[in-house]
Amino acid sequence: TAWATAMNNLGMVPVGLPGQQLVSDSICVPGFDPGLNMMTGITPINPMIPGLGLVPPPPPTEVAVVKEIIHCKSCTLFPQNPNLPPPSTRERPPGCKTVFVGGLPENATEEIIQEVFEQCGDITAIRKSKKNFCHIRFAEEFMVDKAIYLSGYRMRLGSSTDKKDSGRLHVDFAQARDDFYEWECKQRMRAR
């Protein structure tokens, strides 16, 4: 198999396969000159090939992400049906550190919201509305991506089946003036 060949090329006996090497050393390391202690006859590697560090690797093909049930102290998050399309999001604003969270249960408190979303990163502010939505501002931009992952989950408070204790979360990028102002300041500093 490919795994056994790769292990053998590294000079290791593949795990779980008893016995000797599958391929001889002359095939494993063609062009190795022990006098020079290096490989010969190999085309130099182009550093601009994707995946070698200078150029980012191509984006992975769409792989179905399997979401699991998330248990918190005061609530449980159930993933949406995998056959449904993923929830849509708007275009990401520059410097976005704030998310909009809609579909919260009526009885969700700020403490419960904090408990769920602090798993995504440091929260600097939560602005909760009386209409079952809130805005959450994180300390760093990458934390927003973790929060977006929770979009589509059904939230249930405790073990209650009351309608006021459940809701389907919709997490999206928020157009926040604070985020945009910070981003503009950073852009001006870089320009100087």
Side-chain angles (χ1 to χ4, degrees), residues 33-110:
D33 186 347
L36 296 174
N37 208 16
M38 61 185 280
M39 302 294 285
T40 59
I42 296 177
T43 309
I45 295 175
N46 180 353
M48 299 307 282
I49 295 174
L52 289 180
L54 296 180
V55 176
T61 55
E62 290 300 317
V63 178
V65 177
V66 179
K67 294 185 175 185
E68 297 180 5
I69 296 174
I70 300 172
H71 297 282
C72 300
K73 289 180 200 167
S74 53
C75 67
T76 306
L77 299 176
F78 298 95
Q80 74 175 19
N81 183 338
N83 298 328
L84 294 175
S88 61
T89 58
R90 66 170 53 137
E91 186 177 328
R92 182 185 195 123
C96 183
K97 293 182 183 179
T98 306
V99 292
F100 163 84
V101 181
L104 290 167
E106 284 183 45
N107 293 335
T109 63
E110 196 170 310

Side-chain angles (χ1 to χ4, degrees), residues 72-186:
C72 300
K73 289 180 200 167
S74 53
C75 67
T76 306
L77 299 176
F78 298 95
Q80 74 175 19
N81 183 338
N83 298 328
L84 294 175
S88 61
T89 58
R90 66 170 53 137
E91 186 177 328
R92 182 185 195 123
C96 183
K97 293 182 183 179
T98 306
V99 292
F100 163 84
V101 181
L104 290 167
E106 284 183 45
N107 293 335
T109 63
E110 196 170 310
E111 291 77 26
I112 292 172
I113 295 167
Q114 173 132 9
E115 177 187 347
V116 170
F117 285 94
E118 71 185 355
Q119 298 173 34
C120 302
D122 294 334
I123 296 174
T124 58
I126 296 177
R127 292 185 303 274
K128 187 176 181 309
S129 166
K130 294 177 183 172
K131 304 231 182 219
N132 304 343
F133 74 88
C134 70
H135 288 88
I136 302 172
R137 187 159 197 246
F138 292 98
E140 299 292 333
E141 288 181 44
F142 72 89
M143 297 171 185
V144 169
D145 298 320
K146 293 179 182 181
I148 295 286
Y149 174 82
L150 296 176
S151 190
Y153 270 86
R154 182 159 295 284
M155 180 185 226
R156 187 172 72 197
L157 304 179
S159 58
S160 172
T161 55
D162 188 10
K163 188 171 186 215
K164 292 183 177 186
D165 291 328
S166 67
R168 184 170 181 256
L169 299 180
H170 175 71
V171 185
D172 202 350
F173 300 111
Q175 299 275 359
R177 288 186 300 253
D178 298 342
D179 296 346
F180 189 70
Y181 177 74
E182 278 184 18
W183 180 79
E184 281 185 321
C185 290
K186 285 181 184 175

